[in-house]
Amino acid sequence: MSYEYRLLFDDSLDARQVLYKLRGSADCVRATEQVVEFKDPGLGSGADYDLRLTFESDYTLWMELLFRTAALHECLEPALQGRRFRCFEDADSEDEVALEQIFALGRTLPIFP
């Protein structure tokens, strides 16, 4: 199961610039003109990727996230820093979420006996 989001940027150049910056990241495991993929080495998942970003248009990127980890958030953050964008869950224009919510940052999980 994956979590899917649309990142909608205010500036028409931002989606391409984000992908360009991410392609040069040491954490990137696969990159093409339209797609970048990342793995969280700490997970050891058998999937080909744990996070994939796909170029949709000059204003939008489609994000598929298999695992919500801080390490994957840290892969994205430098490329997104300083850019204005909104994030919508499952491309639903009514369901806007913050990037920190997507990766469940700052949330502690209960410990069950």
Side-chain angles (χ1 to χ4, degrees):
M1 178 182 155
S2 69
Y3 304 96
E4 298 180 344
Y5 303 90
R6 177 168 285 133
L7 304 178
L8 178 61
F9 295 89
D10 287 352
D11 189 314
S12 64
L13 296 176
D14 280 349
R16 285 193 190 280
Q17 290 174 343
V18 165
L19 280 184
Y20 177 78
K21 190 167 188 174
L22 289 171
R23 278 195 293 270
S25 168
D27 299 314
C28 180
V29 294
R30 181 176 167 267
T32 68
E33 188 67 27
Q34 304 288 323
V35 176
V36 292
E37 295 176 347
F38 294 88
K39 296 266 308 159
D40 179 342
L43 284 176
S45 76
D48 291 337
Y49 65 89
D50 297 326
L51 169 67
R52 174 189 281 164
L53 283 152
T54 305
F55 181 82
E56 281 193 324
S57 76
D58 288 338
Y59 289 94
T60 61
L61 295 176
W62 183 254
M63 183 170 71
E64 297 170 74
L65 181 64
L66 299 182
F67 301 97
R68 297 176 178 204
T69 70
L72 292 173
H73 179 263
E74 289 171 10
C75 292
L76 290 179
E77 194 164 41
L80 294 172
Q81 201 166 40
R83 301 186 194 280
R84 294 182 51 129
F85 68 94
R86 298 181 313 167
C87 186
F88 299 97
E89 189 169 9
D90 294 325
D92 183 351
S93 63
E94 299 292 319
D95 201 3
E96 186 172 353
V97 294
L99 202 59
E100 292 78 15
Q101 288 174 300
I102 292 170
F103 290 92
L105 300 177
R107 189 180 80 179
T108 57
L109 300 174
I111 300 172
F112 296 103

